[in-house]
Amino acid sequence: MNYIKNKIDILSLSKNELRDVIKNDFKDINIETFRADQIYSWIYKNIGSFFDITNISERQKKIFDDYFYIGRLKAVKKLVSSDGTIKYLFELHDGNKIESVFMRYNHGNTVCVSTQVGCRMGCAFCASAIGGISRNLLPSEMLLQVMTIEKDVGERISNIVLMGIGEPLDNFDNVLKFLGLVNSKDCLNIGYRHISLSTCGLVDKINKLKEINIPITLSVSLHAPNDMIRKKIMPVSNKWSIDELLKSCEDYANYTKRRISFEYTLIERLNDSVSDAYELASKIKNILCHVNLILINKVAERNFSPPSVNTAQTFQKVLENNGVNVTFRRKCGNDIDASCGQLRMAKNE
């Protein structure tokens, strides 16, 4: 159970968990279990405090306020792109900062959620990894990103991507709890099939996620066709080879019957050659998958550049001609520090 300010973090509890707390901890102070349902229906309306609730007594409000904590995020910076994308820099209760992004698509509004403060994975092209990791986010702190943005824009959020700061599978238990909460009809009621989780390739956690078998989309940051290239930019490759990773992805797709999404960021003169494309195609063409090609974002602290449009299109054509389903990911917010971690790093300087 998560505690903040010596109180229970209520937004990290399911309704049944809240019922259990009231049943077990409040049995001597005459608080009925059904009060959990009343409280739960209120906290997801973004109430300011327990004292705003109208259907419980003043005494009960005081008891709940003494015992529980309702989390908050403070938006310390908000950037609005010309394409409608909004990037937020949020401050947490302990002063740490994270980023979240709101994006509009034809299929609905999407929020990109951070799962950690910083990241320990150390991918060379990623601003999020600069400075390492401070801590994991609680389920409530992930949930609050969606809730706070939904309230700010005044529009329904229908899709979530766990592709912000941090490695979701490195915060496995809290992320799984968040997924359960956000999917619950008692909470935000966002369907699992509208949620994507991105990982740099923690093979043991992919295997664990496979066994749990919730119908989210697993997105794997591949970014290279072989170990020699991948080790230059992704330290996780020193623990699990690309063959081990692809085997776990194939097993995941076969077991869950869910298509894997491979993320492949094109970096000039590193992983963008025709031979790289042929090698990639040969290794994934028998996996139930889709490839999202991405042109790398410029990050001040990293010396990487995107390839030319012609090089990128040639790479795509090789994959298509070899039976791989591939598209270029739409880039959102190019004019507002689009890369994860850039806004946080600039604020911390």
Side-chain angles (χ1 to χ4, degrees):
M1 194 171 293
N2 298 308
Y3 289 83
I4 301 176
K5 297 182 178 178
N6 298 316
K7 300 181 182 181
I8 296 176
D9 175 18
I10 195 169
L11 287 175
S12 288
L13 300 180
S14 68
K15 183 187 283 189
N16 285 336
E17 287 172 331
L18 180 56
R19 285 173 177 162
D20 287 342
V21 171
I22 293 175
K23 180 180 178 181
N24 296 324
D25 294 11
F26 290 9
K27 60 185 177 183
D28 296 329
I29 52 176
N30 196 29
I31 300 289
E32 305 91 337
T33 304
F34 74 83
R35 297 297 180 189
D37 295 23
Q38 293 176 306
I39 297 294
Y40 217 77
S41 66
W42 273 93
I43 59 177
Y44 292 108
K45 295 177 182 177
N46 283 330
I47 63 168
S49 77
F50 291 106
F51 294 100
D52 296 330
I53 302 176
T54 59
N55 58 353
I56 61 176
S57 70
E58 292 301 315
R59 170 182 168 273
Q60 290 166 343
K61 293 175 186 179
K62 178 67 165 59
I63 291 170
F64 279 106
D65 186 64
D66 287 343
Y67 210 83
F68 295 102
Y69 174 85
I70 301 175
R72 300 284 187 278
L73 293 181
K74 178 184 177 183
V76 295
K77 195 163 188 179
K78 175 182 174 181
L79 300 178
V80 182
S81 170
S82 58
D83 66 14
T85 299
I86 306 173
K87 188 162 190 178
Y88 297 85
L89 181 67
F90 288 124
E91 185 173 277
L92 304 170
H93 70 95
D94 59 0
N96 276 304
K97 297 178 181 66
I98 55 171
E99 296 172 22
S100 311
V101 182
F102 170 81
M103 298 165 284
R104 288 186 175 92
Y105 293 97
N106 292 333
H107 59 270
N109 294 327
T110 299
V111 168
C112 180
V113 172
S114 291
T115 56
Q116 296 177 308
V117 180
C119 183
R120 77 175 88 246
M121 297 297 111
C123 297
F125 50 84
C126 181
S128 298
I130 299 171
I133 188 171
S134 297
R135 67 172 176 86
N136 288 329
L137 293 186
L138 300 171
S140 61
E141 292 170 324
M142 292 176 251
L143 197 63
L144 279 165
Q145 293 171 65
V146 183
M147 294 170 63
T148 305
I149 291 173
E150 189 170 70
K151 184 177 181 180
D152 183 64
V153 301
E155 299 176 29
R156 163 75 175 165
I157 303 301
S158 54
N159 306 284
I160 295 173
V161 292
L162 284 79
M163 297 182 180
I165 294 173
E167 162 57 56
L169 295 187
D170 190 40
N171 187 14
F172 193 89
D173 291 340
N174 283 342
V175 164
L176 261 290
K177 184 65 177 294
F178 160 74
L179 293 175
L181 288 170
V182 83
N183 173 252
S184 170
K185 62 180 178 60
D186 296 315
C187 185
L188 298 191
N189 197 27
I190 297 176
Y192 282 132
R193 296 182 187 276
H194 295 273
I195 301 174
S196 295
L197 182 152
S198 178
T199 177
C200 69
L202 306 188
V203 170
D204 58 339
K205 299 298 176 57
I206 292 174
N207 294 338
K208 188 175 179 180
L209 189 65
K210 174 192 72 177
E211 296 297 330
I212 297 171
N213 196 13
I214 53 177
I216 61 171
T217 295
L218 180 63
S219 184
V220 177
S221 297
L222 199 55
H223 307 316
N226 56 55
D227 289 324
M228 184 178 71
I229 295 175
R230 202 164 190 262
K231 285 181 178 180
K232 293 178 181 178
I233 53 175
M234 301 184 74
V236 69
S237 299
N238 292 310
K239 185 166 186 178
W240 290 290
S241 71
I242 199 166
D243 288 341
E244 289 174 304
L245 174 58
L246 293 179
K247 177 62 167 61
S248 73
C249 290
E250 184 175 13
D251 291 344
Y252 183 96
N254 291 340
Y255 185 88
T256 64
K257 312 302 179 189
R258 300 282 295 166
R259 185 175 68 170
I260 297 280
S261 179
F262 286 119
E263 308 293 315
Y264 195 101
T265 298
L266 289 167
I267 304 172
E268 186 180 33
R269 292 191 297 274
L270 179 69
N271 64 356
D272 63 344
S273 70
V274 170
S275 62
D276 291 334
Y278 275 111
E279 185 176 7
L280 176 64
S282 70
K283 290 187 175 180
I284 66 172
K285 64 182 180 181
N286 293 322
I287 300 174
L288 179 63
C289 71
H290 173 269
V291 173
N292 277 320
L293 291 178
I294 309 156
L295 294 177
I296 192 167
N297 285 306
K298 279 280 192 180
V299 177
E301 297 86 356
R302 306 302 197 193
N303 188 30
F304 294 117
S305 300
S308 67
V309 172
N310 182 63
T311 296
Q313 290 176 340
T314 299
F315 195 98
Q316 178 182 17
K317 187 61 66 177
V318 170
L319 294 181
E320 290 174 338
N321 290 343
N322 283 270
V324 176
N325 190 344
V326 56
T327 55
F328 267 94
R329 184 199 286 176
R330 171 189 158 194
K331 296 191 76 172
C332 298
N334 284 347
D335 52 341
I336 56 168
D337 289 331
S339 293
C340 285
Q342 287 183 301
L343 201 57
R344 175 173 167 263
M345 289 302 298
K347 193 70 178 179
N348 287 336
E349 287 175 353

